[in-house]
Amino acid sequence: MKSAKASPDLKKNQCWLASLQISYKDPAARLYADWTNKTCEENGLLFTLREVDREELEGCILAANQDDAVDGIIVYYPIFNSRQDQYLQQLIDVSKDVEGLSHRYIFNLYQNIRFLDGEKLQKSILPCTPLAIIKVLEFLKVYNTILPYGNRLFGHSITVVNRSEVVGRPLAALLANDGACVYSVDVTGVQQFTRGSGIKKQRHEVVDKEQWTLEDCVPLSDVVISGVPGEAFHFPTHLIKDGALCINFSTEKNFGPNVKDKASIYVPAVGKVTIVVLLRNLLRLVGNRRCTEIKK
């Protein structure tokens, strides 16, 4: 959070993150909210947790959209575990969407559009957990800074076990748009995300790998990322290539203790990095909004 502490946005005004949570939320969401509150306090940000019944959530989102004191909004999903959750995601004003789940941000992500304006002063907002994993990979020097920006994962093969619309699929797209060959795995099979031979395409393309399983893609991968919910899944450690980097982003431990016998580096969780990214997104929203006001 060094960049957040040095930000002129914090020096001029305190930023306010409004958190909306229905009253019977699960313990994991409560823990995430507590961590977010603690990190906000440590960095001079205001954080409020508003627990509401799910039938009242729509109205609360609309009210927060209109509240000039609120700079960012986060909702802890799932709420209805249906398409109604997607509707709620799109209700949040794009200028306050710290999670990067609005249609405009998701469109930019998949199209590999990194800025909101032609002058390239306002960066698009990315989903928090996928971006947190990207930041972990950057910190661990997986990104090759000798290569041009946008191509710095060229030469890497990465398996991502999870293809949810919130984390797994966006993560695969981000990694592929940065030049990696990504194998995206879920219960339906394996898909390959790449920017084509020699990363000549502007954005990633997706190809179904018929009949492929973990046994086909994991041994090819120098980075393995898993985020399967539930206790039943246990990653087959014997498939991991010696020296691979392994990251777990599930609340469950997908990898067993023996992963350390195969992996050169093992990252067991990314939750706290996700919170830092959330606050980074908040500051970026404030900066984008002020840039828009200056242009006017």
Side-chain angles (χ1 to χ4, degrees), residues 77-103:
Y77 299 98
I79 306 298
F80 294 95
N81 254 329
S82 68
R83 290 179 63 87
Q84 193 163 348
D85 283 2
Q86 296 175 15
Y87 166 71
L88 292 173
Q89 289 170 2
Q90 302 311 313
L91 275 185
I92 297 175
D93 190 297
V94 68
S95 69
K96 298 186 178 186
D97 178 18
V98 291
E99 296 182 278
L101 298 177
S102 299
H103 173 75

PDB file of all heavy atoms in Angstrom, residues 77-103:
ATOM      1  N   TYR A  77     -20.829 -11.372  -2.850  1.00  0.00           N
ATOM      2  CA  TYR A  77     -21.622 -12.398  -3.525  1.00  0.00           C
ATOM      3  C   TYR A  77     -21.187 -13.787  -3.045  1.00  0.00           C
ATOM      4  O   TYR A  77     -20.090 -13.944  -2.501  1.00  0.00           O
ATOM      5  CB  TYR A  77     -21.426 -12.281  -5.040  1.00  0.00           C
ATOM      6  CG  TYR A  77     -21.877 -10.961  -5.617  1.00  0.00           C
ATOM      7  CD1 TYR A  77     -20.963  -9.940  -5.870  1.00  0.00           C
ATOM      8  CD2 TYR A  77     -23.220 -10.730  -5.899  1.00  0.00           C
ATOM      9  CE1 TYR A  77     -21.373  -8.720  -6.388  1.00  0.00           C
ATOM     10  CE2 TYR A  77     -23.638  -9.515  -6.428  1.00  0.00           C
ATOM     11  CZ  TYR A  77     -22.710  -8.514  -6.669  1.00  0.00           C
ATOM     12  OH  TYR A  77     -23.123  -7.311  -7.182  1.00  0.00           O
ATOM     13  N   PRO A  78     -22.056 -14.813  -3.287  1.00  0.00           N
ATOM     14  CA  PRO A  78     -23.354 -14.768  -3.964  1.00  0.00           C
ATOM     15  C   PRO A  78     -24.466 -14.250  -3.050  1.00  0.00           C
ATOM     16  O   PRO A  78     -24.395 -14.384  -1.839  1.00  0.00           O
ATOM     17  CB  PRO A  78     -23.609 -16.227  -4.346  1.00  0.00           C
ATOM     18  CG  PRO A  78     -22.904 -17.005  -3.282  1.00  0.00           C
ATOM     19  CD  PRO A  78     -21.683 -16.207  -2.932  1.00  0.00           C
ATOM     20  N   ILE A  79     -25.494 -13.665  -3.697  1.00  0.00           N
ATOM     21  CA  ILE A  79     -26.665 -13.208  -2.976  1.00  0.00           C
ATOM     22  C   ILE A  79     -27.829 -14.165  -3.229  1.00  0.00           C
ATOM     23  O   ILE A  79     -28.340 -14.812  -2.326  1.00  0.00           O
ATOM     24  CB  ILE A  79     -27.062 -11.778  -3.408  1.00  0.00           C
ATOM     25  CG1 ILE A  79     -25.880 -10.816  -3.273  1.00  0.00           C
ATOM     26  CG2 ILE A  79     -28.259 -11.303  -2.584  1.00  0.00           C
ATOM     27  CD1 ILE A  79     -25.361 -10.640  -1.868  1.00  0.00           C
ATOM     28  N   PHE A  80     -28.217 -14.278  -4.492  1.00  0.00           N
ATOM     29  CA  PHE A  80     -29.324 -15.156  -4.873  1.00  0.00           C
ATOM     30  C   PHE A  80     -28.841 -16.453  -5.530  1.00  0.00           C
ATOM     31  O   PHE A  80     -29.613 -17.373  -5.747  1.00  0.00           O
ATOM     32  CB  PHE A  80     -30.266 -14.430  -5.845  1.00  0.00           C
ATOM     33  CG  PHE A  80     -30.987 -13.262  -5.230  1.00  0.00           C
ATOM     34  CD1 PHE A  80     -30.487 -11.970  -5.355  1.00  0.00           C
ATOM     35  CD2 PHE A  80     -32.161 -13.446  -4.518  1.00  0.00           C
ATOM     36  CE1 PHE A  80     -31.145 -10.886  -4.798  1.00  0.00           C
ATOM     37  CE2 PHE A  80     -32.822 -12.367  -3.951  1.00  0.00           C
ATOM     38  CZ  PHE A  80     -32.316 -11.088  -4.092  1.00  0.00           C
ATOM     39  N   ASN A  81     -27.535 -16.507  -5.876  1.00  0.00           N
ATOM     40  CA  ASN A  81     -26.988 -17.659  -6.589  1.00  0.00           C
ATOM     41  C   ASN A  81     -27.733 -17.911  -7.893  1.00  0.00           C
ATOM     42  O   ASN A  81     -28.033 -19.047  -8.253  1.00  0.00           O
ATOM     43  CB  ASN A  81     -27.031 -18.924  -5.717  1.00  0.00           C
ATOM     44  CG  ASN A  81     -25.642 -19.300  -5.211  1.00  0.00           C
ATOM     45  OD1 ASN A  81     -24.645 -19.045  -5.888  1.00  0.00           O
ATOM     46  ND2 ASN A  81     -25.583 -19.872  -4.033  1.00  0.00           N
ATOM     47  N   SER A  82     -28.064 -16.841  -8.600  1.00  0.00           N
ATOM     48  CA  SER A  82     -28.790 -16.933  -9.863  1.00  0.00           C
ATOM     49  C   SER A  82     -28.389 -15.741 -10.725  1.00  0.00           C
ATOM     50  O   SER A  82     -27.525 -14.939 -10.353  1.00  0.00           O
ATOM     51  CB  SER A  82     -30.308 -16.926  -9.612  1.00  0.00           C
ATOM     52  OG  SER A  82     -30.719 -15.657  -9.125  1.00  0.00           O
ATOM     53  N   ARG A  83     -29.046 -15.614 -11.877  1.00  0.00           N
ATOM     54  CA  ARG A  83     -28.748 -14.505 -12.779  1.00  0.00           C
ATOM     55  C   ARG A  83     -29.061 -13.150 -12.132  1.00  0.00           C
ATOM     56  O   ARG A  83     -28.587 -12.115 -12.602  1.00  0.00           O
ATOM     57  CB  ARG A  83     -29.537 -14.663 -14.084  1.00  0.00           C
ATOM     58  CG  ARG A  83     -29.045 -15.810 -14.957  1.00  0.00           C
ATOM     59  CD  ARG A  83     -29.881 -15.926 -16.225  1.00  0.00           C
ATOM     60  NE  ARG A  83     -29.769 -14.748 -17.053  1.00  0.00           N
ATOM     61  CZ  ARG A  83     -28.825 -14.551 -17.963  1.00  0.00           C
ATOM     62  NH1 ARG A  83     -27.880 -15.468 -18.136  1.00  0.00           N
ATOM     63  NH2 ARG A  83     -28.808 -13.452 -18.694  1.00  0.00           N
ATOM     64  N   GLN A  84     -29.838 -13.177 -11.071  1.00  0.00           N
ATOM     65  CA  GLN A  84     -30.149 -11.926 -10.392  1.00  0.00           C
ATOM     66  C   GLN A  84     -28.887 -11.287  -9.808  1.00  0.00           C
ATOM     67  O   GLN A  84     -28.801 -10.065  -9.694  1.00  0.00           O
ATOM     68  CB  GLN A  84     -31.188 -12.150  -9.293  1.00  0.00           C
ATOM     69  CG  GLN A  84     -31.788 -10.851  -8.762  1.00  0.00           C
ATOM     70  CD  GLN A  84     -33.070 -11.069  -7.984  1.00  0.00           C
ATOM     71  OE1 GLN A  84     -33.645 -12.163  -8.025  1.00  0.00           O
ATOM     72  NE2 GLN A  84     -33.532 -10.059  -7.293  1.00  0.00           N
ATOM     73  N   ASP A  85     -27.906 -12.113  -9.456  1.00  0.00           N
ATOM     74  CA  ASP A  85     -26.639 -11.568  -8.974  1.00  0.00           C
ATOM     75  C   ASP A  85     -25.942 -10.760 -10.070  1.00  0.00           C
ATOM     76  O   ASP A  85     -25.326  -9.724  -9.805  1.00  0.00           O
ATOM     77  CB  ASP A  85     -25.720 -12.688  -8.494  1.00  0.00           C
ATOM     78  CG  ASP A  85     -26.122 -13.227  -7.125  1.00  0.00           C
ATOM     79  OD1 ASP A  85     -27.141 -12.751  -6.578  1.00  0.00           O
ATOM     80  OD2 ASP A  85     -25.427 -14.119  -6.622  1.00  0.00           O
ATOM     81  N   GLN A  86     -26.037 -11.240 -11.318  1.00  0.00           N
ATOM     82  CA  GLN A  86     -25.447 -10.510 -12.438  1.00  0.00           C
ATOM     83  C   GLN A  86     -26.156  -9.165 -12.632  1.00  0.00           C
ATOM     84  O   GLN A  86     -25.519  -8.151 -12.948  1.00  0.00           O
ATOM     85  CB  GLN A  86     -25.526 -11.342 -13.714  1.00  0.00           C
ATOM     86  CG  GLN A  86     -24.719 -12.633 -13.650  1.00  0.00           C
ATOM     87  CD  GLN A  86     -24.917 -13.506 -14.873  1.00  0.00           C
ATOM     88  OE1 GLN A  86     -25.439 -13.057 -15.896  1.00  0.00           O
ATOM     89  NE2 GLN A  86     -24.503 -14.760 -14.791  1.00  0.00           N
ATOM     90  N   TYR A  87     -27.472  -9.168 -12.434  1.00  0.00           N
ATOM     91  CA  TYR A  87     -28.235  -7.922 -12.520  1.00  0.00           C
ATOM     92  C   TYR A  87     -27.753  -6.926 -11.473  1.00  0.00           C
ATOM     93  O   TYR A  87     -27.545  -5.742 -11.755  1.00  0.00           O
ATOM     94  CB  TYR A  87     -29.725  -8.219 -12.327  1.00  0.00           C
ATOM     95  CG  TYR A  87     -30.579  -7.002 -12.061  1.00  0.00           C
ATOM     96  CD1 TYR A  87     -30.838  -6.076 -13.069  1.00  0.00           C
ATOM     97  CD2 TYR A  87     -31.122  -6.772 -10.791  1.00  0.00           C
ATOM     98  CE1 TYR A  87     -31.612  -4.949 -12.813  1.00  0.00           C
ATOM     99  CE2 TYR A  87     -31.893  -5.655 -10.534  1.00  0.00           C
ATOM    100  CZ  TYR A  87     -32.133  -4.737 -11.548  1.00  0.00           C
ATOM    101  OH  TYR A  87     -32.898  -3.628 -11.297  1.00  0.00           O
ATOM    102  N   LEU A  88     -27.524  -7.410 -10.248  1.00  0.00           N
ATOM    103  CA  LEU A  88     -27.045  -6.538  -9.182  1.00  0.00           C
ATOM    104  C   LEU A  88     -25.659  -5.980  -9.504  1.00  0.00           C
ATOM    105  O   LEU A  88     -25.374  -4.807  -9.216  1.00  0.00           O
ATOM    106  CB  LEU A  88     -27.017  -7.301  -7.856  1.00  0.00           C
ATOM    107  CG  LEU A  88     -28.374  -7.701  -7.274  1.00  0.00           C
ATOM    108  CD1 LEU A  88     -28.184  -8.601  -6.060  1.00  0.00           C
ATOM    109  CD2 LEU A  88     -29.202  -6.466  -6.893  1.00  0.00           C
ATOM    110  N   GLN A  89     -24.806  -6.794 -10.110  1.00  0.00           N
ATOM    111  CA  GLN A  89     -23.467  -6.326 -10.477  1.00  0.00           C
ATOM    112  C   GLN A  89     -23.545  -5.148 -11.436  1.00  0.00           C
ATOM    113  O   GLN A  89     -22.763  -4.192 -11.343  1.00  0.00           O
ATOM    114  CB  GLN A  89     -22.674  -7.467 -11.116  1.00  0.00           C
ATOM    115  CG  GLN A  89     -22.262  -8.559 -10.145  1.00  0.00           C
ATOM    116  CD  GLN A  89     -21.696  -9.786 -10.838  1.00  0.00           C
ATOM    117  OE1 GLN A  89     -21.577  -9.808 -12.073  1.00  0.00           O
ATOM    118  NE2 GLN A  89     -21.356 -10.802 -10.076  1.00  0.00           N
ATOM    119  N   GLN A  90     -24.492  -5.211 -12.358  1.00  0.00           N
ATOM    120  CA  GLN A  90     -24.618  -4.147 -13.359  1.00  0.00           C
ATOM    121  C   GLN A  90     -25.325  -2.908 -12.825  1.00  0.00           C
ATOM    122  O   GLN A  90     -25.317  -1.859 -13.474  1.00  0.00           O
ATOM    123  CB  GLN A  90     -25.344  -4.677 -14.603  1.00  0.00           C
ATOM    124  CG  GLN A  90     -24.667  -5.860 -15.261  1.00  0.00           C
ATOM    125  CD  GLN A  90     -23.176  -5.631 -15.495  1.00  0.00           C
ATOM    126  OE1 GLN A  90     -22.763  -4.586 -15.990  1.00  0.00           O
ATOM    127  NE2 GLN A  90     -22.358  -6.613 -15.124  1.00  0.00           N
ATOM    128  N   LEU A  91     -25.951  -3.012 -11.646  1.00  0.00           N
ATOM    129  CA  LEU A  91     -26.597  -1.849 -11.038  1.00  0.00           C
ATOM    130  C   LEU A  91     -25.584  -0.843 -10.505  1.00  0.00           C
ATOM    131  O   LEU A  91     -25.852   0.353 -10.444  1.00  0.00           O
ATOM    132  CB  LEU A  91     -27.489  -2.286  -9.874  1.00  0.00           C
ATOM    133  CG  LEU A  91     -28.920  -2.738 -10.165  1.00  0.00           C
ATOM    134  CD1 LEU A  91     -29.632  -2.997  -8.848  1.00  0.00           C
ATOM    135  CD2 LEU A  91     -29.684  -1.706 -10.973  1.00  0.00           C
ATOM    136  N   ILE A  92     -24.413  -1.323 -10.100  1.00  0.00           N
ATOM    137  CA  ILE A  92     -23.419  -0.434  -9.501  1.00  0.00           C
ATOM    138  C   ILE A  92     -22.888   0.535 -10.548  1.00  0.00           C
ATOM    139  O   ILE A  92     -22.497   0.132 -11.645  1.00  0.00           O
ATOM    140  CB  ILE A  92     -22.268  -1.253  -8.888  1.00  0.00           C
ATOM    141  CG1 ILE A  92     -22.796  -2.134  -7.751  1.00  0.00           C
ATOM    142  CG2 ILE A  92     -21.163  -0.339  -8.372  1.00  0.00           C
ATOM    143  CD1 ILE A  92     -21.760  -3.063  -7.157  1.00  0.00           C
ATOM    144  N   ASP A  93     -22.891   1.815 -10.205  1.00  0.00           N
ATOM    145  CA  ASP A  93     -22.380   2.843 -11.110  1.00  0.00           C
ATOM    146  C   ASP A  93     -20.945   2.517 -11.512  1.00  0.00           C
ATOM    147  O   ASP A  93     -20.110   2.180 -10.663  1.00  0.00           O
ATOM    148  CB  ASP A  93     -22.437   4.205 -10.404  1.00  0.00           C
ATOM    149  CG  ASP A  93     -22.154   5.356 -11.349  1.00  0.00           C
ATOM    150  OD1 ASP A  93     -21.039   5.429 -11.885  1.00  0.00           O
ATOM    151  OD2 ASP A  93     -23.060   6.190 -11.538  1.00  0.00           O
ATOM    152  N   VAL A  94     -20.655   2.610 -12.802  1.00  0.00           N
ATOM    153  CA  VAL A  94     -19.337   2.223 -13.303  1.00  0.00           C
ATOM    154  C   VAL A  94     -18.232   3.048 -12.649  1.00  0.00           C
ATOM    155  O   VAL A  94     -17.101   2.573 -12.486  1.00  0.00           O
ATOM    156  CB  VAL A  94     -19.290   2.344 -14.844  1.00  0.00           C
ATOM    157  CG1 VAL A  94     -19.370   3.799 -15.288  1.00  0.00           C
ATOM    158  CG2 VAL A  94     -18.052   1.673 -15.410  1.00  0.00           C
ATOM    159  N   SER A  95     -18.553   4.273 -12.230  1.00  0.00           N
ATOM    160  CA  SER A  95     -17.543   5.132 -11.603  1.00  0.00           C
ATOM    161  C   SER A  95     -17.289   4.770 -10.146  1.00  0.00           C
ATOM    162  O   SER A  95     -16.378   5.321  -9.515  1.00  0.00           O
ATOM    163  CB  SER A  95     -17.974   6.598 -11.695  1.00  0.00           C
ATOM    164  OG  SER A  95     -19.100   6.847 -10.873  1.00  0.00           O
ATOM    165  N   LYS A  96     -18.085   3.812  -9.593  1.00  0.00           N
ATOM    166  CA  LYS A  96     -17.910   3.389  -8.210  1.00  0.00           C
ATOM    167  C   LYS A  96     -17.680   1.885  -8.082  1.00  0.00           C
ATOM    168  O   LYS A  96     -17.662   1.351  -6.970  1.00  0.00           O
ATOM    169  CB  LYS A  96     -19.136   3.795  -7.376  1.00  0.00           C
ATOM    170  CG  LYS A  96     -19.361   5.304  -7.311  1.00  0.00           C
ATOM    171  CD  LYS A  96     -20.481   5.683  -6.368  1.00  0.00           C
ATOM    172  CE  LYS A  96     -20.645   7.198  -6.291  1.00  0.00           C
ATOM    173  NZ  LYS A  96     -21.641   7.609  -5.279  1.00  0.00           N
ATOM    174  N   ASP A  97     -17.478   1.215  -9.200  1.00  0.00           N
ATOM    175  CA  ASP A  97     -17.362  -0.247  -9.216  1.00  0.00           C
ATOM    176  C   ASP A  97     -15.924  -0.676  -8.930  1.00  0.00           C
ATOM    177  O   ASP A  97     -15.126  -0.880  -9.843  1.00  0.00           O
ATOM    178  CB  ASP A  97     -17.825  -0.782 -10.579  1.00  0.00           C
ATOM    179  CG  ASP A  97     -17.684  -2.286 -10.702  1.00  0.00           C
ATOM    180  OD1 ASP A  97     -17.560  -2.952  -9.653  1.00  0.00           O
ATOM    181  OD2 ASP A  97     -17.685  -2.795 -11.842  1.00  0.00           O
ATOM    182  N   VAL A  98     -15.591  -0.828  -7.648  1.00  0.00           N
ATOM    183  CA  VAL A  98     -14.221  -1.204  -7.271  1.00  0.00           C
ATOM    184  C   VAL A  98     -13.884  -2.645  -7.645  1.00  0.00           C
ATOM    185  O   VAL A  98     -12.710  -3.009  -7.737  1.00  0.00           O
ATOM    186  CB  VAL A  98     -13.968  -1.014  -5.759  1.00  0.00           C
ATOM    187  CG1 VAL A  98     -13.964   0.440  -5.388  1.00  0.00           C
ATOM    188  CG2 VAL A  98     -14.968  -1.778  -4.931  1.00  0.00           C
ATOM    189  N   GLU A  99     -14.893  -3.476  -7.881  1.00  0.00           N
ATOM    190  CA  GLU A  99     -14.644  -4.876  -8.214  1.00  0.00           C
ATOM    191  C   GLU A  99     -14.419  -5.104  -9.703  1.00  0.00           C
ATOM    192  O   GLU A  99     -14.036  -6.195 -10.114  1.00  0.00           O
ATOM    193  CB  GLU A  99     -15.812  -5.737  -7.741  1.00  0.00           C
ATOM    194  CG  GLU A  99     -15.990  -5.734  -6.234  1.00  0.00           C
ATOM    195  CD  GLU A  99     -17.129  -6.630  -5.799  1.00  0.00           C
ATOM    196  OE1 GLU A  99     -18.288  -6.180  -5.858  1.00  0.00           O
ATOM    197  OE2 GLU A  99     -16.848  -7.783  -5.417  1.00  0.00           O
ATOM    198  N   GLY A 100     -14.684  -4.090 -10.519  1.00  0.00           N
ATOM    199  CA  GLY A 100     -14.456  -4.224 -11.959  1.00  0.00           C
ATOM    200  C   GLY A 100     -15.379  -5.208 -12.636  1.00  0.00           C
ATOM    201  O   GLY A 100     -14.988  -5.862 -13.603  1.00  0.00           O
ATOM    202  N   LEU A 101     -16.623  -5.310 -12.161  1.00  0.00           N
ATOM    203  CA  LEU A 101     -17.559  -6.299 -12.706  1.00  0.00           C
ATOM    204  C   LEU A 101     -18.609  -5.683 -13.631  1.00  0.00           C
ATOM    205  O   LEU A 101     -19.437  -6.407 -14.183  1.00  0.00           O
ATOM    206  CB  LEU A 101     -18.264  -7.034 -11.557  1.00  0.00           C
ATOM    207  CG  LEU A 101     -17.348  -7.842 -10.628  1.00  0.00           C
ATOM    208  CD1 LEU A 101     -18.153  -8.455  -9.481  1.00  0.00           C
ATOM    209  CD2 LEU A 101     -16.617  -8.933 -11.404  1.00  0.00           C
ATOM    210  N   SER A 102     -18.588  -4.365 -13.798  1.00  0.00           N
ATOM    211  CA  SER A 102     -19.518  -3.722 -14.720  1.00  0.00           C
ATOM    212  C   SER A 102     -19.226  -4.142 -16.152  1.00  0.00           C
ATOM    213  O   SER A 102     -18.091  -4.505 -16.490  1.00  0.00           O
ATOM    214  CB  SER A 102     -19.418  -2.194 -14.607  1.00  0.00           C
ATOM    215  OG  SER A 102     -19.747  -1.767 -13.304  1.00  0.00           O
ATOM    216  N   HIS A 103     -20.259  -4.055 -16.995  1.00  0.00           N
ATOM    217  CA  HIS A 103     -20.117  -4.528 -18.373  1.00  0.00           C
ATOM    218  C   HIS A 103     -18.950  -3.842 -19.084  1.00  0.00           C
ATOM    219  O   HIS A 103     -18.183  -4.498 -19.806  1.00  0.00           O
ATOM    220  CB  HIS A 103     -21.411  -4.289 -19.152  1.00  0.00           C
ATOM    221  CG  HIS A 103     -21.281  -4.592 -20.615  1.00  0.00           C
ATOM    222  ND1 HIS A 103     -21.243  -5.881 -21.105  1.00  0.00           N
ATOM    223  CD2 HIS A 103     -21.134  -3.773 -21.699  1.00  0.00           C
ATOM    224  CE1 HIS A 103     -21.104  -5.850 -22.421  1.00  0.00           C
ATOM    225  NE2 HIS A 103     -21.035  -4.596 -22.806  1.00  0.00           N
TER     226      HIS A 103
END
